[in-house]
Amino acid sequence: MLLNACTFFSLLPLVAKVGKTSLIMSLVGEEFPNEVPARAEEITIPADVTPEKVPTHIVDYSETEQTDEVLRQEIVKANVVCVVYDVTQEETIDKVSSTKWIPLVNGGVEKGSKIPIILVGNKSDLRTGSSMENILPIMNQFSEIETCVECSARNLKNISELFYYAQKAVLHPTAPLYDPEDKQLKPLCVRALSRIFSISDQDNDRVLSDAELNCFQKSCFGNPLAPQALEDVKTVVWKNTSDGILDNGLTLNGFLFLNTLFIQRGRHETTWTILRRFGYDDTLELTDDYLYPQLRVPLGCSTELNHLGHQFLQKVFDKYDEDRDHALSPAELKNLFSVFPYMPWGAEAYSSVPTSELNHVSLHAFICQWTLWAYLDVQRCMEYLGYLGYPILTDQESQTTAITVSREKALDLEKGQTQRSVFLCKVIGPRGTGKSAFLQAFLGQTRPSLYAVNTVQVANQEKYLILFEVDVETEFLKASDAACDVACLMYDFTDPNSFSYCASIYKQHFMNSSIPCVLVCCKADEVEVPQQYGMNPAEFCYKHRLPVPIRHSSLRPTAQIYSKLAWAAMYPYVHKQRKIMYTTDTSFPLLWFPCRFPILEPSAALSPRKKCTKPALNFAGLVARACDTSVKILLFLMFKLCMKLTIFCVCSHRHLNGSDMSSTSFWLRVTLGAAMVTVLGFALYRAFARSK
């Protein structure tokens, strides 16, 4: 049975008559057997009787009954091999290394891999001294030898320890951590421990304070160190290193020295406990389970950072903002990502968020980029959070606690509202329209980028809007290619063939979908050219019950247009009902009211440069809209009059007495009557509007 099945497979090959079968039978029977067979049957030791709580499957081997080929087959299945020799016979020691067993074990595994070996010297009760002098050269020669144990099957000496070390060799191997020849940690181990030190150094002062050491100790081992134990540890480091202690704190060199000392004293399980707590496997690479925890994202849902993710990233930002200027310089950003195996923040990240001319990244821009990662590729976002040590520093089970999976969009449409705070807008239009300039204006910079993410205000709430520039050569092959929260269809005010592209895209991919669409007329500061399409843009919007095109100039960009895009994404149910009205007052965000006809901007509907091809239809629409608007205005004025009369009557009633009271009471009755008429008129208007 294999280690990944929570067991390990122990194989005992040996020279004949050295007592390997006696060792197995003494372990099982807890006494020396009177009769010993040539080979013991395969046995399994339950997990609850082993120190490491791992089931152990033991396979015996007999050179007299089995062939070398059978042994090779067993070695392939084994997790550890115990090679037994007789301490009273030096020729068995020679056979272990030079002529037989270790070369045979190495030949039975895949090239480049090594299986842990435990050397077992049996019959120590028959020798007064130790055989370690002869064994040490062999251990130095073969790095796969984990340890050597001298024992006695007759006296039951070190029998349990033998199999404990066999388990330990599998669960806490020395070979990946330590080079016995150079007597120092291996490079991969140094890299992993350096990352752990950097994550644990929460104030980024290059030393671990007592508070940070106790936090680290509690995270890895469950309990903090006692004050005296902490001082003893620092004393050992101070005595043995020249730079291990600085300002009464533990430096990186001191931290590496401590782990080297643990391994040299046979306590490498301590180092492995630290490594595995921080997500490392036996090859000293971060495991997939640590970097990519399971997160279910149903179809139609999106992902975004929640308050836990924002709090953690703000602490990380503050940690590496060494000059406290509320911005990360390129050097500080490089230091932040030093715990990554690669640099994730490249040129595309600088151009996707608002940054300064010196490429300094503010906290706002930092969070914007993480928001983009979380929305577009949540697995990559969780990978990055894992590199930063999110589950360890926040004491959370995994990075999934930093992510919120939104409600399905279909349910948002049904409920008429959304709780999401991040929206994706695809900017679509023919080449030369000004899409890139539109994205750059959103960030207030001139770097080209396919993505731009920033915050906008919608109904006094801060939302994240992601703009994605769709390549003009891209063909929408399937529905998912056009999927987004809002589509921004852009056409050129000065190009007569520009609008036809937008109309074609709308009819093919958005006309029958629930995705809201907003048309943007670019280069509005220049002279307008009539569009060579069957109808002008205003008529097209009227026909398809879309909002009228919004004019935009890259020379005088306004934030209102981006808020309108976010509003359209935030309230998709309005688009689905196809009953939309825009306010033309730019001092307000985009307002939506349920009405029968979409009200067009006067500049779009009544411009003298436009030729109306359907005057009768437009005139009827204007009349109907005028009636609708007149009723609304009349009801509003009546309501306002009622309020003023009520205030007047109440104030007068407090100061008048006698005959004046009757006059005041009269006006109060008039006010109540007017209020009732207003309410009744509003109810009739709503009933009339529904029936149309």
Side-chain angles (χ1 to χ4, degrees):
M1 298 173 69
L2 301 178
L3 180 61
N4 58 13
C6 298
T7 69
F8 82 86
F9 185 95
S10 179
L11 181 66
L12 285 85
L14 68 165
V15 182
K17 305 300 181 182
V18 296
K20 54 88 185 176
T21 306
S22 299
L23 288 172
I24 299 174
M25 298 186 70
S26 294
L27 173 71
V28 176
E30 297 185 350
E31 62 178 2
F32 185 73
N34 293 325
E35 295 183 3
V36 181
R39 183 170 64 92
E41 297 294 330
E42 296 182 10
I43 64 170
T44 299
I45 303 174
D48 55 356
V49 299
T50 62
E52 296 290 344
K53 304 301 180 185
V54 177
T56 306
H57 190 61
I58 301 175
V59 177
D60 192 6
Y61 171 77
S62 173
E63 189 178 19
T64 59
E65 293 187 359
Q66 295 170 289
T67 63
D68 289 351
E69 182 58 33
V70 173
L71 177 59
R72 291 189 185 94
Q73 293 174 3
E74 296 292 351
I75 288 173
V76 171
K77 296 185 292 183
N79 299 110
V80 61
V81 174
C82 298
V83 179
V84 185
Y85 65 93
D86 187 344
V87 298
T88 64
Q89 299 179 26
E90 291 191 6
E91 62 272 16
T92 63
I93 298 176
D94 295 336
K95 198 172 183 180
V96 162
S97 61
S98 60
T99 61
K100 182 71 175 180
W101 296 113
I102 292 182
L104 185 61
V105 171
N106 288 336
V109 296
E110 294 181 6
K111 187 177 181 180
S113 61
K114 294 182 179 180
I115 188 170
I117 296 175
I118 305 295
L119 293 183
V120 182
N122 194 21
K123 302 184 181 181
S124 63
D125 57 301
L126 301 179
R127 177 171 175 164
T128 55
S130 174
S131 63
M132 286 301 174
E133 295 180 359
N134 299 326
I135 291 299
L136 284 176
I138 300 175
M139 294 183 65
N140 292 331
Q141 181 182 357
F142 299 99
S143 60
E144 59 267 39
I145 298 177
E146 289 287 329
T147 189
C148 178
V149 183
E150 289 191 347
C151 57
S152 171
R154 183 178 296 276
N155 296 339
L156 305 183
K157 176 185 175 182
N158 289 340
I159 301 298
S160 298
E161 287 76 3
L162 157 64
F163 292 97
Y164 166 71
Y165 283 119
Q167 284 187 333
K168 193 174 177 181
V170 177
L171 301 175
H172 312 298
T174 306
L177 307 180
Y178 185 73
D179 188 339
E181 294 181 3
D182 296 334
K183 293 182 172 50
Q184 62 182 11
L185 299 175
K186 291 187 175 181
L188 284 178
C189 183
V190 172
R191 185 190 70 175
L193 291 175
S194 298
R195 171 181 168 269
I196 292 171
F197 179 89
S198 180
I199 291 173
S200 303
D201 179 18
Q202 298 183 31
D203 56 7
N204 197 34
D205 62 352
R206 277 75 172 176
V207 296
L208 297 182
S209 63
D210 289 356
E212 289 169 339
L213 277 171
N214 271 324
C215 184
F216 168 81
Q217 177 77 12
K218 186 175 181 181
S219 176
C220 294
F221 304 101
N223 295 300
L225 284 172
Q228 186 57 49
L230 191 58
E231 289 302 319
D232 292 343
V233 168
K234 290 191 289 186
T235 300
V236 170
V237 176
W238 179 75
K239 287 182 177 180
N240 291 275
T241 63
S242 59
D243 56 354
I245 300 294
L246 179 65
D247 297 333
N248 200 35
L250 189 68
T251 66
L252 174 59
N253 286 339
F255 184 69
L256 295 176
F257 166 78
L258 273 180
N259 282 278
T260 304
L261 192 63
F262 291 146
I263 296 170
Q264 289 174 343
R265 293 183 177 180
R267 293 174 52 195
H268 38 281
E269 66 273 12
T270 302
T271 300
W272 274 116
T273 301
I274 295 170
L275 291 166
R276 288 182 175 130
R277 175 68 181 97
F278 281 79
Y280 288 94
D281 61 13
D282 290 348
T283 63
L284 297 183
E285 297 291 342
L286 292 172
T287 64
D288 287 346
D289 290 341
Y290 174 80
L291 291 178
Y292 312 107
Q294 258 192 340
L295 180 67
R296 183 175 175 271
V297 184
L299 187 65
C301 299
S302 62
T303 50
E304 55 190 63
L305 291 169
N306 56 30
H307 68 285
L308 292 177
H310 280 269
Q311 290 172 4
F312 173 75
L313 291 173
Q314 182 166 354
K315 289 180 180 178
V316 171
F317 182 93
D318 293 338
K319 171 182 175 179
Y320 290 96
D321 182 17
E322 298 182 14
D323 53 9
R324 298 294 180 262
D325 63 345
H326 307 292
L328 296 179
S329 66
E332 290 171 335
L333 206 60
K334 183 178 179 181
N335 189 22
L336 186 153
F337 290 113
S338 63
V339 295
F340 285 56
Y342 54 88
M343 180 63 174
W345 195 291
E348 69 283 353
Y350 279 111
S351 58
S352 298
V353 296
T355 57
S356 68
E357 294 181 357
L358 299 176
N359 274 350
H360 287 205
V361 179
S362 65
L363 175 62
H364 170 73
F366 187 69
I367 297 297
C368 280
Q369 182 60 42
W370 280 92
T371 300
L372 181 65
W373 285 333
Y375 187 93
L376 297 180
D377 190 349
V378 69
Q379 290 296 324
R380 180 170 63 162
C381 181
M382 291 194 295
E383 176 191 352
Y384 292 170
L385 289 172
Y387 289 140
L388 291 173
Y390 172 85
I392 293 95
L393 295 178
T394 60
D395 197 23
Q396 298 289 337
E397 184 178 350
S398 69
Q399 300 90 291
T400 56
T401 59
I403 304 296
T404 293
V405 179
S406 73
R407 189 169 60 185
E408 291 186 25
K409 291 182 182 179
L411 192 57
D412 283 347
L413 284 169
E414 181 182 337
K415 297 291 184 181
Q417 60 182 353
T418 182
Q419 298 174 342
R420 297 162 57 205
S421 61
V422 184
F423 302 98
L424 174 64
C425 172
K426 288 190 174 180
V427 182
I428 307 168
R431 191 180 303 279
T433 302
K435 300 188 296 296
S436 297
F438 186 72
L439 269 67
Q440 292 166 7
F442 187 41
L443 304 178
Q445 60 189 28
T446 58
R447 297 187 187 95
S449 176
L450 289 179
Y451 285 98
V453 54
N454 207 341
T455 54
V456 294
Q457 290 292 325
V458 180
N460 296 323
Q461 300 179 50
E462 188 176 72
K463 302 295 181 181
Y464 288 90
L465 180 64
I466 301 171
L467 300 182
F468 172 63
E469 180 182 345
V470 178
D471 186 3
V472 68
E473 305 297 336
T474 299
E475 293 185 5
F476 296 102
L477 301 179
K478 51 186 181 297
S480 59
D481 293 335
C484 56
D485 300 308
V486 57
C488 176
L489 303 176
M490 302 186 69
Y491 69 95
D492 189 346
F493 201 58
T494 64
D495 183 357
N497 300 314
S498 183
F499 180 74
S500 60
Y501 177 87
C502 295
S504 174
I505 290 294
Y506 174 78
K507 288 182 177 180
Q508 291 178 33
H509 303 287
F510 298 106
M511 186 167 65
N512 297 319
S513 74
S514 60
I515 299 174
C517 293
V518 176
L519 273 80
V520 174
C521 173
C522 290
K523 304 179 183 179
D525 55 305
E526 300 183 21
V527 178
E528 180 183 6
V529 175
Q531 296 294 316
Q532 293 182 1
Y533 187 69
M535 59 186 75
N536 63 40
E539 292 170 344
F540 180 88
C541 293
Y542 177 82
K543 178 180 179 180
H544 296 282
R545 297 191 176 185
L546 292 174
V548 294
I550 306 173
R551 297 193 175 195
H552 168 72
S553 171
S554 58
L555 299 179
R556 294 188 297 274
T558 63
Q560 291 294 330
I561 189 170
Y562 304 106
S563 296
K564 291 178 180 181
L565 290 172
W567 189 289
M570 190 172 176
Y571 297 103
Y573 68 99
V574 178
H575 177 269
K576 185 179 180 181
Q577 293 175 346
R578 304 294 189 192
K579 297 177 180 179
I580 304 171
M581 183 180 74
Y582 272 82
T583 176
T584 58
D585 187 352
T586 57
S587 63
F588 291 93
L590 181 62
L591 300 180
W592 305 77
F593 297 97
C595 60
R596 179 60 178 168
F597 299 96
I599 294 183
L600 304 181
E601 292 184 357
S603 59
L606 305 176
S607 173
R609 290 175 294 183
K610 292 183 174 64
K611 295 182 179 180
C612 183
T613 58
K614 296 184 179 179
L617 180 61
N618 282 352
F619 178 77
L622 288 173
V623 170
R625 289 194 296 276
C627 293
D628 247 3
T629 306
S630 299
V631 173
K632 287 182 179 179
I633 293 173
L634 179 62
L635 289 173
F636 174 77
L637 292 176
M638 290 180 65
F639 176 77
K640 193 171 183 180
L641 177 63
C642 290
M643 291 297 296
K644 287 186 176 181
L645 286 173
T646 301
I647 294 172
F648 168 77
C649 293
V650 171
C651 293
S652 300
H653 194 277
R654 290 181 178 178
H655 300 288
L656 298 178
N657 295 311
S659 61
D660 293 330
M661 288 289 291
S662 61
S663 177
T664 305
S665 300
F666 168 78
W667 285 109
L668 183 60
R669 287 194 293 273
V670 170
T671 303
L672 293 176
M676 292 178 64
V677 171
T678 302
V679 173
L680 180 60
F682 180 75
L684 290 173
Y685 166 75
R686 291 299 301 271
F688 176 74
R690 288 197 187 97
S691 64
K692 290 195 292 183

